[in-house]
Amino acid sequence: MKRWFCAALLPLTLSLLSVRAQSTDHDRLVGAWKLLALEQPGPDGKVNTRTCCGMFVFTRDGHLSVQVMEGDAKANAAPAGPQQYSQGGYEASYGSYVVDEKNHIFTFHVDGALVKTLIGKDLPRRYTFEGDRLIVQSTEPDEHWRVVWIRY
């Protein structure tokens, strides 16, 4: 009977360890995310969802990479604020990140990017989790975009 009891508890124990292993925001960020929506206010103030696809990858050791391809480069060429993130309808950058779980902000240190003016910058990003989705927004008051990602 003891063997049966131990065998019955093993899946529960492994399940609890898995939940515990993903209990920090840093652990929840780790992995590959697929772009679901990129939202940005238009000139009229209405929020527009831009046609695009992309991938966001966070590694356990604190590195990240993001790529976004816009569906209509001519229509979507304007930057989402004072900072330009894409060029010719494509955004690509990589670097390292640190997570401030208390304030729900990760700071992306850009080591390389298609847009050269981003290299060396620290880009703080507000994040929230909504179920299996990751919502990322700029912390800059004049940047009003919002990106919704879902885990691959």
Side-chain angles (χ1 to χ4, degrees), residues 45-89:
K46 293 181 182 178
V47 175
N48 300 311
T49 300
R50 295 167 59 177
T51 303
C52 51
C53 59
M55 178 187 274
F56 211 166
V57 178
F58 292 84
T59 66
R60 187 161 307 285
D61 66 351
H63 294 90
L64 69 76
S65 173
V66 62
Q67 295 187 54
V68 175
M69 182 175 69
E70 299 173 6
D72 182 356
K74 290 181 182 176
N76 297 321
Q83 179 63 59
Q84 180 179 346
Y85 296 103
S86 65
Q87 181 177 324

mmCIF file of all heavy atoms in Angstrom, residues 45-89:
data_model
loop_
_atom_site.group_PDB
_atom_site.id
_atom_site.type_symbol
_atom_site.label_atom_id
_atom_site.label_comp_id
_atom_site.label_asym_id
_atom_site.label_seq_id
_atom_site.Cartn_x
_atom_site.Cartn_y
_atom_site.Cartn_z
ATOM 1 N N GLY A 45 -6.787 59.313 -32.714
ATOM 2 C CA GLY A 45 -6.892 58.887 -31.328
ATOM 3 C C GLY A 45 -7.471 57.502 -31.138
ATOM 4 O O GLY A 45 -7.411 56.943 -30.048
ATOM 5 N N LYS A 46 -8.044 56.925 -32.177
ATOM 6 C CA LYS A 46 -8.600 55.574 -32.077
ATOM 7 C C LYS A 46 -7.472 54.542 -32.125
ATOM 8 O O LYS A 46 -6.507 54.708 -32.868
ATOM 9 C CB LYS A 46 -9.578 55.303 -33.219
ATOM 10 C CG LYS A 46 -10.826 56.149 -33.154
ATOM 11 C CD LYS A 46 -11.757 55.803 -34.295
ATOM 12 C CE LYS A 46 -12.982 56.695 -34.259
ATOM 13 N NZ LYS A 46 -13.885 56.428 -35.382
ATOM 14 N N VAL A 47 -7.632 53.491 -31.342
ATOM 15 C CA VAL A 47 -6.619 52.435 -31.308
ATOM 16 C C VAL A 47 -6.755 51.560 -32.541
ATOM 17 O O VAL A 47 -7.842 51.066 -32.854
ATOM 18 C CB VAL A 47 -6.750 51.580 -30.021
ATOM 19 C CG1 VAL A 47 -5.778 50.415 -30.055
ATOM 20 C CG2 VAL A 47 -6.508 52.441 -28.793
ATOM 21 N N ASN A 48 -5.659 51.409 -33.256
ATOM 22 C CA ASN A 48 -5.615 50.571 -34.448
ATOM 23 C C ASN A 48 -4.761 49.338 -34.167
ATOM 24 O O ASN A 48 -3.720 49.437 -33.518
ATOM 25 C CB ASN A 48 -4.996 51.327 -35.626
ATOM 26 C CG ASN A 48 -5.777 52.564 -35.987
ATOM 27 O OD1 ASN A 48 -6.989 52.513 -36.126
ATOM 28 N ND2 ASN A 48 -5.093 53.687 -36.126
ATOM 29 N N THR A 49 -5.210 48.196 -34.653
ATOM 30 C CA THR A 49 -4.404 46.986 -34.573
ATOM 31 C C THR A 49 -3.655 46.864 -35.885
ATOM 32 O O THR A 49 -4.269 46.809 -36.949
ATOM 33 C CB THR A 49 -5.278 45.741 -34.334
ATOM 34 O OG1 THR A 49 -5.974 45.923 -33.094
ATOM 35 C CG2 THR A 49 -4.432 44.491 -34.244
ATOM 36 N N ARG A 50 -2.327 46.879 -35.804
ATOM 37 C CA ARG A 50 -1.495 46.825 -36.995
ATOM 38 C C ARG A 50 -1.320 45.383 -37.452
ATOM 39 O O ARG A 50 -1.190 44.468 -36.634
ATOM 40 C CB ARG A 50 -0.155 47.470 -36.707
ATOM 41 C CG ARG A 50 -0.330 48.964 -36.418
ATOM 42 C CD ARG A 50 0.860 49.617 -35.823
ATOM 43 N NE ARG A 50 2.043 49.518 -36.657
ATOM 44 C CZ ARG A 50 3.197 50.078 -36.337
ATOM 45 N NH1 ARG A 50 3.306 50.771 -35.226
ATOM 46 N NH2 ARG A 50 4.232 49.959 -37.122
ATOM 47 N N THR A 51 -1.298 45.174 -38.756
ATOM 48 C CA THR A 51 -1.094 43.855 -39.328
ATOM 49 C C THR A 51 0.393 43.528 -39.290
ATOM 50 O O THR A 51 1.192 44.213 -39.940
ATOM 51 C CB THR A 51 -1.596 43.808 -40.783
ATOM 52 O OG1 THR A 51 -2.968 44.183 -40.792
ATOM 53 C CG2 THR A 51 -1.426 42.433 -41.379
ATOM 54 N N CYS A 52 0.757 42.527 -38.505
ATOM 55 C CA CYS A 52 2.155 42.138 -38.395
ATOM 56 C C CYS A 52 2.266 40.769 -37.732
ATOM 57 O O CYS A 52 1.284 40.236 -37.209
ATOM 58 C CB CYS A 52 2.959 43.175 -37.631
ATOM 59 S SG CYS A 52 2.274 43.651 -36.052
ATOM 60 N N CYS A 53 3.464 40.207 -37.791
ATOM 61 C CA CYS A 53 3.739 38.943 -37.115
ATOM 62 C C CYS A 53 5.113 39.077 -36.470
ATOM 63 O O CYS A 53 5.898 39.955 -36.833
ATOM 64 C CB CYS A 53 3.684 37.767 -38.097
ATOM 65 S SG CYS A 53 4.838 37.893 -39.460
ATOM 66 N N GLY A 54 5.383 38.227 -35.498
ATOM 67 C CA GLY A 54 6.676 38.335 -34.845
ATOM 68 C C GLY A 54 6.896 37.305 -33.766
ATOM 69 O O GLY A 54 6.004 36.510 -33.444
ATOM 70 N N MET A 55 8.105 37.334 -33.225
ATOM 71 C CA MET A 55 8.507 36.403 -32.172
ATOM 72 C C MET A 55 9.351 37.152 -31.138
ATOM 73 O O MET A 55 10.182 37.993 -31.482
ATOM 74 C CB MET A 55 9.340 35.259 -32.766
ATOM 75 C CG MET A 55 9.826 34.267 -31.718
ATOM 76 S SD MET A 55 10.968 33.046 -32.394
ATOM 77 C CE MET A 55 9.805 31.852 -32.991
ATOM 78 N N PHE A 56 9.099 36.834 -29.869
ATOM 79 C CA PHE A 56 9.835 37.395 -28.734
ATOM 80 C C PHE A 56 10.385 36.205 -27.964
ATOM 81 O O PHE A 56 9.625 35.315 -27.581
ATOM 82 C CB PHE A 56 8.853 38.166 -27.857
ATOM 83 C CG PHE A 56 9.408 39.343 -27.109
ATOM 84 C CD1 PHE A 56 8.546 40.253 -26.543
ATOM 85 C CD2 PHE A 56 10.760 39.556 -26.944
ATOM 86 C CE1 PHE A 56 8.993 41.355 -25.835
ATOM 87 C CE2 PHE A 56 11.243 40.647 -26.249
ATOM 88 C CZ PHE A 56 10.354 41.551 -25.693
ATOM 89 N N VAL A 57 11.692 36.168 -27.745
ATOM 90 C CA VAL A 57 12.307 35.039 -27.050
ATOM 91 C C VAL A 57 13.068 35.550 -25.834
ATOM 92 O O VAL A 57 13.912 36.445 -25.957
ATOM 93 C CB VAL A 57 13.270 34.258 -27.982
ATOM 94 C CG1 VAL A 57 13.945 33.130 -27.229
ATOM 95 C CG2 VAL A 57 12.528 33.733 -29.197
ATOM 96 N N PHE A 58 12.757 34.989 -24.665
ATOM 97 C CA PHE A 58 13.458 35.278 -23.422
ATOM 98 C C PHE A 58 14.193 34.009 -23.001
ATOM 99 O O PHE A 58 13.574 32.942 -22.927
ATOM 100 C CB PHE A 58 12.471 35.632 -22.302
ATOM 101 C CG PHE A 58 11.746 36.928 -22.478
ATOM 102 C CD1 PHE A 58 10.596 37.000 -23.246
ATOM 103 C CD2 PHE A 58 12.199 38.086 -21.854
ATOM 104 C CE1 PHE A 58 9.900 38.186 -23.394
ATOM 105 C CE2 PHE A 58 11.512 39.283 -21.995
ATOM 106 C CZ PHE A 58 10.364 39.332 -22.768
ATOM 107 N N THR A 59 15.485 34.122 -22.706
ATOM 108 C CA THR A 59 16.224 32.961 -22.211
ATOM 109 C C THR A 59 16.306 33.025 -20.692
ATOM 110 O O THR A 59 16.200 34.096 -20.090
ATOM 111 C CB THR A 59 17.644 32.885 -22.799
ATOM 112 O OG1 THR A 59 18.414 33.996 -22.321
ATOM 113 C CG2 THR A 59 17.613 32.871 -24.327
ATOM 114 N N ARG A 60 16.513 31.881 -20.091
ATOM 115 C CA ARG A 60 16.596 31.789 -18.636
ATOM 116 C C ARG A 60 17.774 32.595 -18.094
ATOM 117 O O ARG A 60 17.720 33.151 -17.006
ATOM 118 C CB ARG A 60 16.703 30.319 -18.218
ATOM 119 C CG ARG A 60 16.612 30.124 -16.717
ATOM 120 C CD ARG A 60 16.259 28.720 -16.299
ATOM 121 N NE ARG A 60 15.078 28.171 -16.915
ATOM 122 C CZ ARG A 60 13.817 28.496 -16.610
ATOM 123 N NH1 ARG A 60 13.580 29.407 -15.707
ATOM 124 N NH2 ARG A 60 12.803 27.912 -17.220
ATOM 125 N N ASP A 61 18.878 32.672 -18.879
ATOM 126 C CA ASP A 61 20.067 33.373 -18.390
ATOM 127 C C ASP A 61 20.053 34.878 -18.649
ATOM 128 O O ASP A 61 21.062 35.553 -18.495
ATOM 129 C CB ASP A 61 21.343 32.734 -18.937
ATOM 130 C CG ASP A 61 21.485 32.885 -20.448
ATOM 131 O OD1 ASP A 61 20.527 33.331 -21.106
ATOM 132 O OD2 ASP A 61 22.562 32.552 -20.972
ATOM 133 N N GLY A 62 18.895 35.431 -19.045
ATOM 134 C CA GLY A 62 18.754 36.882 -19.119
ATOM 135 C C GLY A 62 19.007 37.515 -20.469
ATOM 136 O O GLY A 62 19.350 38.696 -20.545
ATOM 137 N N HIS A 63 18.839 36.776 -21.550
ATOM 138 C CA HIS A 63 18.979 37.343 -22.887
ATOM 139 C C HIS A 63 17.627 37.328 -23.597
ATOM 140 O O HIS A 63 16.769 36.518 -23.266
ATOM 141 C CB HIS A 63 20.020 36.562 -23.695
ATOM 142 C CG HIS A 63 21.388 36.721 -23.130
ATOM 143 N ND1 HIS A 63 21.896 35.868 -22.176
ATOM 144 C CD2 HIS A 63 22.334 37.657 -23.346
ATOM 145 C CE1 HIS A 63 23.103 36.263 -21.833
ATOM 146 N NE2 HIS A 63 23.398 37.352 -22.528
ATOM 147 N N LEU A 64 17.467 38.229 -24.548
ATOM 148 C CA LEU A 64 16.220 38.245 -25.307
ATOM 149 C C LEU A 64 16.473 38.665 -26.741
ATOM 150 O O LEU A 64 17.501 39.248 -27.072
ATOM 151 C CB LEU A 64 15.158 39.129 -24.655
ATOM 152 C CG LEU A 64 15.297 40.643 -24.610
ATOM 153 C CD1 LEU A 64 15.009 41.302 -25.937
ATOM 154 C CD2 LEU A 64 14.324 41.199 -23.596
ATOM 155 N N SER A 65 15.517 38.321 -27.563
ATOM 156 C CA SER A 65 15.536 38.675 -28.979
ATOM 157 C C SER A 65 14.104 38.933 -29.399
ATOM 158 O O SER A 65 13.198 38.207 -29.001
ATOM 159 C CB SER A 65 16.121 37.516 -29.791
ATOM 160 O OG SER A 65 16.006 37.759 -31.172
ATOM 161 N N VAL A 66 13.905 39.968 -30.200
ATOM 162 C CA VAL A 66 12.562 40.272 -30.692
ATOM 163 C C VAL A 66 12.645 40.616 -32.174
ATOM 164 O O VAL A 66 13.567 41.303 -32.614
ATOM 165 C CB VAL A 66 11.886 41.413 -29.887
ATOM 166 C CG1 VAL A 66 12.650 42.714 -29.992
ATOM 167 C CG2 VAL A 66 10.441 41.600 -30.306
ATOM 168 N N GLN A 67 11.683 40.078 -32.916
ATOM 169 C CA GLN A 67 11.564 40.379 -34.339
ATOM 170 C C GLN A 67 10.089 40.579 -34.664
ATOM 171 O O GLN A 67 9.253 39.796 -34.216
ATOM 172 C CB GLN A 67 12.108 39.235 -35.191
ATOM 173 C CG GLN A 67 13.594 39.024 -34.999
ATOM 174 C CD GLN A 67 14.140 38.007 -35.961
ATOM 175 O OE1 GLN A 67 13.955 38.132 -37.173
ATOM 176 N NE2 GLN A 67 14.804 37.009 -35.437
ATOM 177 N N VAL A 68 9.814 41.631 -35.415
ATOM 178 C CA VAL A 68 8.441 41.921 -35.834
ATOM 179 C C VAL A 68 8.482 42.335 -37.299
ATOM 180 O O VAL A 68 9.282 43.189 -37.691
ATOM 181 C CB VAL A 68 7.803 43.048 -34.989
ATOM 182 C CG1 VAL A 68 6.427 43.418 -35.521
ATOM 183 C CG2 VAL A 68 7.727 42.632 -33.521
ATOM 184 N N MET A 69 7.620 41.720 -38.098
ATOM 185 C CA MET A 69 7.494 42.071 -39.504
ATOM 186 C C MET A 69 6.090 42.634 -39.723
ATOM 187 O O MET A 69 5.102 41.964 -39.420
ATOM 188 C CB MET A 69 7.715 40.850 -40.402
ATOM 189 C CG MET A 69 7.647 41.180 -41.879
ATOM 190 S SD MET A 69 8.056 39.785 -42.948
ATOM 191 C CE MET A 69 6.636 38.737 -42.669
ATOM 192 N N GLU A 70 6.041 43.843 -40.215
ATOM 193 C CA GLU A 70 4.763 44.492 -40.463
ATOM 194 C C GLU A 70 4.205 44.041 -41.803
ATOM 195 O O GLU A 70 4.952 43.862 -42.771
ATOM 196 C CB GLU A 70 4.939 46.007 -40.409
ATOM 197 C CG GLU A 70 5.426 46.461 -39.037
ATOM 198 C CD GLU A 70 5.789 47.923 -38.958
ATOM 199 O OE1 GLU A 70 5.573 48.655 -39.932
ATOM 200 O OE2 GLU A 70 6.288 48.330 -37.909
ATOM 201 N N GLY A 71 2.891 43.863 -41.849
ATOM 202 C CA GLY A 71 2.240 43.375 -43.055
ATOM 203 C C GLY A 71 2.244 44.370 -44.192
ATOM 204 O O GLY A 71 2.369 44.010 -45.351
ATOM 205 N N ASP A 72 2.113 45.654 -43.888
ATOM 206 C CA ASP A 72 2.095 46.700 -44.907
ATOM 207 C C ASP A 72 3.101 47.764 -44.478
ATOM 208 O O ASP A 72 2.774 48.676 -43.737
ATOM 209 C CB ASP A 72 0.693 47.292 -45.035
ATOM 210 C CG ASP A 72 0.599 48.358 -46.126
ATOM 211 O OD1 ASP A 72 1.639 48.692 -46.733
ATOM 212 O OD2 ASP A 72 -0.514 48.837 -46.359
ATOM 213 N N ALA A 73 4.331 47.608 -44.917
ATOM 214 C CA ALA A 73 5.419 48.486 -44.479
ATOM 215 C C ALA A 73 5.149 49.961 -44.784
ATOM 216 O O ALA A 73 5.494 50.828 -44.002
ATOM 217 C CB ALA A 73 6.732 48.058 -45.122
ATOM 218 N N LYS A 74 4.512 50.264 -45.899
ATOM 219 C CA LYS A 74 4.247 51.667 -46.236
ATOM 220 C C LYS A 74 3.231 52.279 -45.285
ATOM 221 O O LYS A 74 3.398 53.392 -44.826
ATOM 222 C CB LYS A 74 3.739 51.772 -47.672
ATOM 223 C CG LYS A 74 4.816 51.480 -48.691
ATOM 224 C CD LYS A 74 4.282 51.618 -50.100
ATOM 225 C CE LYS A 74 5.377 51.263 -51.101
ATOM 226 N NZ LYS A 74 4.896 51.280 -52.466
ATOM 227 N N ALA A 75 2.190 51.528 -44.948
ATOM 228 C CA ALA A 75 1.146 52.052 -44.066
ATOM 229 C C ALA A 75 1.607 52.110 -42.624
ATOM 230 O O ALA A 75 1.126 52.914 -41.852
ATOM 231 C CB ALA A 75 -0.104 51.180 -44.165
ATOM 232 N N ASN A 76 2.549 51.254 -42.247
ATOM 233 C CA ASN A 76 2.959 51.142 -40.844
ATOM 234 C C ASN A 76 4.361 51.673 -40.584
ATOM 235 O O ASN A 76 4.970 51.336 -39.589
ATOM 236 C CB ASN A 76 2.892 49.674 -40.414
ATOM 237 C CG ASN A 76 1.494 49.121 -40.475
ATOM 238 O OD1 ASN A 76 0.543 49.817 -40.135
ATOM 239 N ND2 ASN A 76 1.354 47.900 -40.916
ATOM 240 N N ALA A 77 4.894 52.494 -41.455
ATOM 241 C CA ALA A 77 6.280 52.917 -41.349
ATOM 242 C C ALA A 77 6.516 53.941 -40.241
ATOM 243 O O ALA A 77 7.631 54.112 -39.802
ATOM 244 C CB ALA A 77 6.755 53.482 -42.679
ATOM 245 N N ALA A 78 5.484 54.631 -39.775
ATOM 246 C CA ALA A 78 5.663 55.671 -38.759
ATOM 247 C C ALA A 78 6.034 55.054 -37.423
ATOM 248 O O ALA A 78 5.499 54.027 -37.029
ATOM 249 C CB ALA A 78 4.378 56.483 -38.608
ATOM 250 N N PRO A 79 6.994 55.665 -36.698
ATOM 251 C CA PRO A 79 7.347 55.140 -35.385
ATOM 252 C C PRO A 79 6.185 55.287 -34.413
ATOM 253 O O PRO A 79 5.294 56.102 -34.614
ATOM 254 C CB PRO A 79 8.544 55.999 -34.959
ATOM 255 C CG PRO A 79 8.503 57.204 -35.824
ATOM 256 C CD PRO A 79 7.759 56.833 -37.077
ATOM 257 N N ALA A 80 6.196 54.485 -33.346
ATOM 258 C CA ALA A 80 5.113 54.475 -32.368
ATOM 259 C C ALA A 80 5.290 55.557 -31.312
ATOM 260 O O ALA A 80 4.647 55.537 -30.294
ATOM 261 C CB ALA A 80 5.035 53.102 -31.712
ATOM 262 N N GLY A 81 6.159 56.490 -31.507
ATOM 263 C CA GLY A 81 6.453 57.552 -30.563
ATOM 264 C C GLY A 81 7.714 58.244 -31.022
ATOM 265 O O GLY A 81 8.067 58.179 -32.198
ATOM 266 N N PRO A 82 8.433 58.909 -30.113
ATOM 267 C CA PRO A 82 9.639 59.631 -30.514
ATOM 268 C C PRO A 82 10.776 58.691 -30.924
ATOM 269 O O PRO A 82 11.677 59.090 -31.622
ATOM 270 C CB PRO A 82 10.002 60.434 -29.271
ATOM 271 C CG PRO A 82 9.415 59.674 -28.146
ATOM 272 C CD PRO A 82 8.161 59.041 -28.702
ATOM 273 N N GLN A 83 10.726 57.455 -30.498
ATOM 274 C CA GLN A 83 11.777 56.487 -30.799
ATOM 275 C C GLN A 83 11.366 55.607 -31.975
ATOM 276 O O GLN A 83 10.262 55.081 -31.995
ATOM 277 C CB GLN A 83 12.032 55.600 -29.579
ATOM 278 C CG GLN A 83 13.084 54.539 -29.792
ATOM 279 C CD GLN A 83 14.451 55.120 -30.069
ATOM 280 O OE1 GLN A 83 14.991 55.858 -29.259
ATOM 281 N NE2 GLN A 83 15.002 54.825 -31.221
ATOM 282 N N GLN A 84 12.248 55.461 -32.926
ATOM 283 C CA GLN A 84 11.987 54.566 -34.055
ATOM 284 C C GLN A 84 12.500 53.178 -33.691
ATOM 285 O O GLN A 84 13.630 53.017 -33.255
ATOM 286 C CB GLN A 84 12.688 55.072 -35.309
ATOM 287 C CG GLN A 84 12.443 54.184 -36.511
ATOM 288 C CD GLN A 84 13.125 54.707 -37.757
ATOM 289 O OE1 GLN A 84 13.568 55.841 -37.808
ATOM 290 N NE2 GLN A 84 13.199 53.859 -38.756
ATOM 291 N N TYR A 85 11.650 52.156 -33.868
ATOM 292 C CA TYR A 85 12.020 50.779 -33.535
ATOM 293 C C TYR A 85 12.169 49.905 -34.778
ATOM 294 O O TYR A 85 12.816 48.876 -34.733
ATOM 295 C CB TYR A 85 10.975 50.157 -32.607
ATOM 296 C CG TYR A 85 10.886 50.847 -31.281
ATOM 297 C CD1 TYR A 85 9.823 51.720 -31.015
ATOM 298 C CD2 TYR A 85 11.846 50.676 -30.308
ATOM 299 C CE1 TYR A 85 9.734 52.379 -29.815
ATOM 300 C CE2 TYR A 85 11.761 51.342 -29.097
ATOM 301 C CZ TYR A 85 10.707 52.184 -28.853
ATOM 302 O OH TYR A 85 10.634 52.855 -27.658
ATOM 303 N N SER A 86 11.533 50.308 -35.880
ATOM 304 C CA SER A 86 11.578 49.474 -37.082
ATOM 305 C C SER A 86 12.116 50.275 -38.257
ATOM 306 O O SER A 86 12.162 51.504 -38.235
ATOM 307 C CB SER A 86 10.196 48.921 -37.406
ATOM 308 O OG SER A 86 9.313 49.962 -37.742
ATOM 309 N N GLN A 87 12.525 49.524 -39.269
ATOM 310 C CA GLN A 87 13.036 50.136 -40.490
ATOM 311 C C GLN A 87 12.530 49.308 -41.660
ATOM 312 O O GLN A 87 12.686 48.086 -41.664
ATOM 313 C CB GLN A 87 14.563 50.136 -40.454
ATOM 314 C CG GLN A 87 15.221 50.763 -41.647
ATOM 315 C CD GLN A 87 16.730 50.786 -41.480
ATOM 316 O OE1 GLN A 87 17.246 50.964 -40.390
ATOM 317 N NE2 GLN A 87 17.439 50.591 -42.559
ATOM 318 N N GLY A 88 11.876 49.958 -42.605
ATOM 319 C CA GLY A 88 11.373 49.251 -43.764
ATOM 320 C C GLY A 88 10.344 48.191 -43.430
ATOM 321 O O GLY A 88 10.225 47.185 -44.109
ATOM 322 N N GLY A 89 9.598 48.416 -42.337
ATOM 323 C CA GLY A 89 8.569 47.459 -41.950
ATOM 324 C C GLY A 89 9.074 46.268 -41.166
ATOM 325 O O GLY A 89 8.354 45.289 -40.973
#
